[in-house]
Amino acid sequence: MKLGFLYAGQGSQAVGMGKDLYETFPSFREVLDNAAPGFDVKKVSFEGPAEVLNETKYTQPCMVAFAVGMTKVLEEAGIRPVVAAGLSLGEYSALYASGVFTEQQVIDLVAYRGNAMQSAVQGRACKMIAVLGLEREKIYEGCKRINEQFSELCCEPANFNCPGQITVSGDAEAVDAAAEVMKELGAKRVLPVKVSGPFHTSLMKPAGDALAERFQQENFGEMQFPVIFNAVGRPMNREETIPGLLEKQVQTSVLFEDTIRYMAEQGIDAFVEIGPGKTLSKFVQKTVELPCYNVEKAEDIEALKAVLAGE
């Protein structure tokens, strides 16, 4: 069976994530024992509290350590993808799986990224909303109206997750106004999203600049299988580079619906969502007619092995 791996992003984290995997699989345990991003990954992942785990600088290394450990466990079971992608932060895990980053390198990189993102808008009141049931063109129209009204503030589309679910982010005052405009334009619902910054908007340019500088010191391995990039919704072309796309990713919209469609068009048989929760599985269900198996706990791995064995 040809599998496409999808790696969860920030927002999927939950206190206790990975604890049963740590107790069950030596390779998973080794990853968390060796992770050293400047804090105790095991303690924050297993014990929280949620207010700490949900801080960007802690969330990102914890989520990627989980993803690295799970990737290793799946590989030991002979479960490998032919293509991969990740939602925002998850893109780094996909690049690890493809051989671009080493284990410690990817954890160090996302720790740096998390700090850069948190610092980019320190002290600035920001917000993100999920707009349901409104097409892309009207989202762009609504943001354009708000940016004309609040010329000093930012309001931009952040995530094109799946048909009918798009997030908008930026300065809190502008986003609050955008919520009303989106309803006027026909949105079915507008909901607040619990994130700690205006991710994937131009307000993240300082983080993009910091990453660009950091990437000059990094070695990037060759991809062993294609990774579909958030910023373009397709694989990298000859004119593009991995560091360039990662710099762009942090400060422009995530084209996740496009990513799912592209992967499906490559002839895969199923998606595998790696990470806590089933957010990406829901996006897949609303976008294409392919199964998506979530692996979060030890029992999920056994269930996936049974599916792949035809049981």
Side-chain angles (χ1 to χ4, degrees):
M1 186 181 286
K2 293 169 67 176
L3 299 175
F5 278 12
L6 296 175
Y7 287 89
Q10 190 165 343
S12 297
Q13 70 274 4
V15 174
M17 65 182 192
K19 195 168 190 300
D20 73 314
L21 298 168
Y22 184 87
E23 294 166 351
T24 307
F25 299 105
S27 53
F28 189 95
R29 185 159 57 248
E30 184 181 16
V31 171
L32 268 66
D33 285 345
N34 291 337
F39 65 92
D40 189 336
V41 169
K42 295 193 297 293
K43 181 175 176 58
V44 175
S45 296
F46 300 163
E47 301 173 22
E51 305 83 65
V52 174
L53 177 60
N54 291 343
E55 282 190 54
T56 297
K57 64 182 180 180
Y58 297 118
T59 309
Q60 299 203 7
C62 288
M63 285 289 291
V64 170
F66 179 103
V68 169
M70 180 64 88
T71 301
K72 285 191 161 188
V73 171
L74 291 174
E75 190 166 341
E76 288 172 352
I79 303 172
R80 300 179 183 87
V82 296
V83 62
L87 179 68
S88 186
L89 168 68
E91 188 160 276
Y92 286 75
S93 300
L95 288 166
Y96 159 78
S98 184
V100 171
F101 297 132
T102 64
E103 176 182 325
Q104 190 57 52
Q105 181 187 22
V106 73
I107 293 171
D108 288 345
L109 270 176
V110 299
Y112 180 87
R113 179 180 184 264
N115 278 305
M117 291 172 72
Q118 195 156 312
S119 299
V121 288
Q122 198 77 45
R124 188 164 183 160
C126 298
K127 186 174 280 191
M128 181 182 283
I129 55 173
V131 182
L132 307 184
L134 201 61
E135 56 267 29
R136 291 188 185 195
E137 292 73 18
K138 290 194 174 179
I139 295 284
Y140 283 120
E141 180 188 336
C143 289
K144 183 171 182 285
R145 280 196 209 173
I146 294 300
N147 288 321
E148 288 171 351
Q149 180 182 347
F150 298 92
S151 57
E152 300 300 314
L153 301 180
C154 170
C155 177
E156 297 170 7
N159 295 69
F160 294 91
N161 290 325
C162 62
Q165 185 176 326
I166 299 168
T167 67
V168 170
S169 190
D171 289 293
E173 184 182 355
V175 173
D176 283 339
E180 297 308 312
V181 169
M182 298 303 173
K183 290 174 188 173
E184 290 171 14
L185 289 170
K188 292 179 180 176
R189 295 179 73 192
V190 177
L191 306 170
V193 179
K194 291 182 181 179
V195 295
S196 56
F199 305 145
H200 306 293
T201 71
S202 56
L203 292 179
M204 283 287 133
K205 187 180 185 303
D209 293 344
L211 284 168
E213 188 174 339
R214 173 64 182 257
F215 290 151
Q216 293 177 18
Q217 309 162 29
E218 298 292 334
N219 292 317
F220 291 78
E222 292 292 323
M223 280 188 278
Q224 303 304 304
F225 52 77
V227 170
I228 313 306
F229 288 87
N230 286 180
V232 290
R234 54 165 171 75
M236 178 175 69
N237 66 29
R238 290 183 180 180
E239 289 72 42
E240 294 164 335
T241 65
I242 294 171
L245 287 169
L246 290 176
E247 178 191 347
K248 183 177 181 180
Q249 183 234 52
V250 79
Q251 56 191 310
T252 60
S253 302
V254 170
L255 305 179
F256 206 68
E257 178 186 339
D258 306 63
T259 295
I260 293 170
R261 292 190 188 282
Y262 185 93
M263 291 172 75
E265 288 165 4
Q266 302 314 298
I268 63 170
D269 300 301
F271 291 93
V272 175
E273 176 180 3
I274 296 171
K278 297 181 179 178
T279 299
L280 305 188
S281 298
K282 292 174 183 174
F283 294 165
V284 169
Q285 289 167 6
K286 293 176 180 177
T287 306
V288 295
E289 294 184 2
L290 283 175
C292 187
Y293 304 102
N294 168 263
V295 285
E296 177 181 356
K297 299 181 180 295
E299 63 193 43
D300 299 326
I301 298 171
E302 294 307 312
L304 179 59
K305 285 163 68 175
V307 168
L308 297 178
E311 296 179 13

